[in-house]
Amino acid sequence: MGFSKWMKGGLAALMAVSLAACESAEGSSQAASNASSDYEGAGDLKSYTIGTLGPTTGDYAVYGLAVTNAVKLAVEDYNAEHGTDIKVDVQDSQGDQTQALNIYNKFISDTKVAGIVGGTVSGETYAIAIQSAETGIPIITPSGTAANITNEGGPNVFRACYTDPQQAEQVADFTYDTLNLRKAAIIYNSDDDYSTGLTEAFTKEFESKGGTVVLSEAFSTADQDFSSQLTKISAQDIDVLFVPNYYEKDVQIAKQARNLGISAQIVGADGWDGVVSVAGNDSSAVEGAIFINQYSPDMDSVQDIMKEYKERFGTDINSFGINAYDSTKLMLEAIEKAGSLKASDIVKAIKDSNYSGILGHLSFDDNGDPIKDPVFVEIKNGNYTKFTSGN
């Protein structure tokens, strides 16, 4: 890891003290009693436990279940391939940071997991990333996109997904260089860090290339009617509308935008994954929209995992799940390579990984962020299709 990452790890250690103080006395004492720079998972190389967490109930269960189910599937497959008896401790965070911290304490105090694949959403991931400075336990989040997770987490924290700034910059570059569009408007959720972060990074990158963000309109999480914002946008001369939100809002906004006569190309980020199912029988409003994602379901490399996951869990896998599967396999291979359940040995092996998985090459930079190629997905005839210049 680079020197700056180690410095951030020192900052994270200080912040962990503050976070720990927010825990119950019992939870804090348990964590403290097990805190050690020489943290080591329980068991041996043939039989140890991986921890995973996410909101498996509640509004964001579609994300948490995708991650935790994929972790279980990856471990099952690894066990079958290697004759091991590795287990998974699955915990429901409910998307809550305090609950995530309690789960983290359980992982290191009771289960003594060798590593953690998670959290699922950014807030919970950030909380455990900062807290993990006390143990240095290896963490790979498959889906926590907020930049502060690795920026402020220690050298034991990695992510397999794009950061919010990474993907927003890639969308801006794609919009300007590939789609040759120059005048943008944005409609975003001012209550949501994901949405505001994408908006800021897209605007900065798009305008640095010579594009113009003509108008940027905010809404609140509780809003269902976006006519006020979209009416202002419809009065502008734009050729692209950036909609950086989660799929439920994306569908609502797209439908209302088209009803108001906005014909601009719609582009988005990975929160768009799932819009087709939400749109239901009428996906005309999202037809032609393009968004960045971890994969496209028509890629040859994902066909086997899509079939296997559907057979195992009775539902379709999404980008969170596929990333979680690759993240888990990478961690398991790193533990095998390290030949140790000691946290520092596993972290070094993850850092040195050059993994080839379902989504292709994955390695990490000095900040713990992924080095991988982006995939752009276009909605065509109500289906997700990998974008190519000939589309």
Side-chain angles (χ1 to χ4, degrees):
M1 294 287 172
F3 177 74
S4 61
K5 182 69 170 176
W6 286 106
M7 289 296 289
K8 291 168 188 169
L11 174 61
L14 293 175
M15 295 180 70
V17 175
S18 298
L19 276 172
C22 297
E23 291 301 289
S24 67
E26 180 182 359
S28 296
S29 62
Q30 285 180 340
S33 67
N34 287 276
S36 170
S37 59
D38 294 325
Y39 177 87
E40 186 169 355
D44 56 44
L45 292 174
K46 290 291 186 179
S47 179
Y48 56 87
T49 302
I50 294 294
T52 185
L53 70 154
T56 59
T57 57
D59 293 341
Y60 297 107
V62 65
Y63 301 126
L65 287 171
V67 167
T68 57
N69 284 343
V71 172
K72 290 190 289 187
L73 186 59
V75 170
E76 289 172 7
D77 288 348
Y78 187 89
N79 282 336
E81 295 162 4
H82 294 80
T84 48
D85 185 30
I86 301 163
K87 296 178 175 60
V88 183
D89 186 350
V90 177
Q91 296 291 326
D92 179 11
S93 67
Q94 301 172 356
D96 179 76
Q97 292 190 32
T98 300
Q99 179 69 3
L101 286 169
N102 289 334
I103 291 167
Y104 169 82
N105 286 337
K106 177 184 181 295
F107 281 161
I108 64 168
S109 302
D110 299 341
T111 317
K112 295 286 287 184
V113 300
I116 299 171
V117 179
T120 297
V121 295
S122 288
E124 68 185 16
T125 306
Y126 175 73
I128 67 170
I130 297 302
Q131 186 79 335
S132 71
E134 62 186 7
T135 60
I137 189 172
I139 294 175
I140 304 177
T141 175
S143 48
T145 58
N148 61 3
I149 293 168
T150 50
N151 284 350
E152 298 174 23
N156 59 304
V157 180
F158 305 85
R159 85 173 92 225
C161 56
Y162 310 117
T163 67
D164 292 342
Q166 275 181 322
Q167 61 171 318
E169 289 164 7
Q170 289 168 333
V171 173
D173 291 343
F174 171 81
T175 300
Y176 191 93
D177 297 329
T178 301
L179 299 181
N180 296 311
L181 303 176
R182 299 291 183 265
K183 294 182 180 179
I186 304 173
I187 179 167
Y188 70 99
N189 184 349
S190 59
D191 293 337
D192 182 61
D193 289 343
Y194 171 78
S195 189
T196 57
L198 290 169
T199 296
E200 292 168 4
F202 176 92
T203 300
K204 182 178 179 180
E205 179 70 7
F206 191 68
E207 293 189 335
S208 75
K209 299 181 76 67
T212 303
V213 174
V214 178
L215 193 64
S216 187
E217 286 290 309
F219 63 87
S220 299
T221 299
D223 291 347
Q224 302 292 321
D225 181 358
F226 308 98
S227 57
S228 175
Q229 296 91 338
L230 291 170
T231 297
K232 294 177 185 177
I233 290 173
S234 68
Q236 301 298 317
D237 177 22
I238 62 168
D239 50 22
V240 62
L241 177 63
F242 182 43
V243 186
N245 306 292
Y246 291 111
Y247 57 86
E248 298 95 337
K249 296 293 188 187
D250 293 331
V251 171
Q252 291 176 314
I253 290 167
K255 287 182 176 181
Q256 293 179 34
R258 295 312 190 208
N259 287 340
L260 284 169
I262 298 174
S263 60
Q265 172 68 54
I266 296 177
V267 296
D270 61 359
W272 271 73
D273 190 20
V275 292
V276 170
S277 60
V278 172
N281 294 329
D282 182 14
S283 61
S284 58
V286 296
E287 184 73 12
I290 302 172
F291 61 96
I292 193 171
N293 204 11
Q294 312 298 325
Y295 82 111
S296 177
D298 61 337
M299 291 166 51
D300 290 341
S301 64
V302 303
Q303 299 310 306
D304 288 345
I305 188 65
M306 290 173 64
K307 180 181 178 182
E308 184 182 12
Y309 188 95
K310 184 67 174 283
E311 290 174 350
R312 176 71 169 79
F313 299 107
T315 188
D316 293 328
I317 198 169
N318 59 23
S319 61
F320 282 56
I322 294 182
N323 240 16
Y325 187 95
D326 268 353
S327 298
T328 306
K329 280 292 195 75
L330 186 153
M331 180 173 284
L332 297 175
E333 289 187 8
I335 292 172
E336 181 183 5
K337 179 182 175 183
S340 167
L341 297 181
K342 191 173 179 179
S344 57
D345 294 335
I346 300 170
V347 168
K348 183 179 186 304
I350 293 173
K351 174 189 175 296
D352 294 338
S353 290
N354 191 9
Y355 176 77
S356 181
I358 295 170
L359 299 181
H361 168 84
L362 173 62
S363 59
F364 302 101
D365 63 20
D366 283 348
N367 202 49
D369 295 321
I371 301 171
K372 59 193 294 187
D373 294 327
V375 173
F376 287 93
V377 180
E378 182 176 11
I379 300 172
K380 295 182 68 174
N381 301 317
N383 296 307
Y384 301 115
T385 306
K386 185 177 180 181
F387 178 89
T388 62
S389 57
N391 277 12

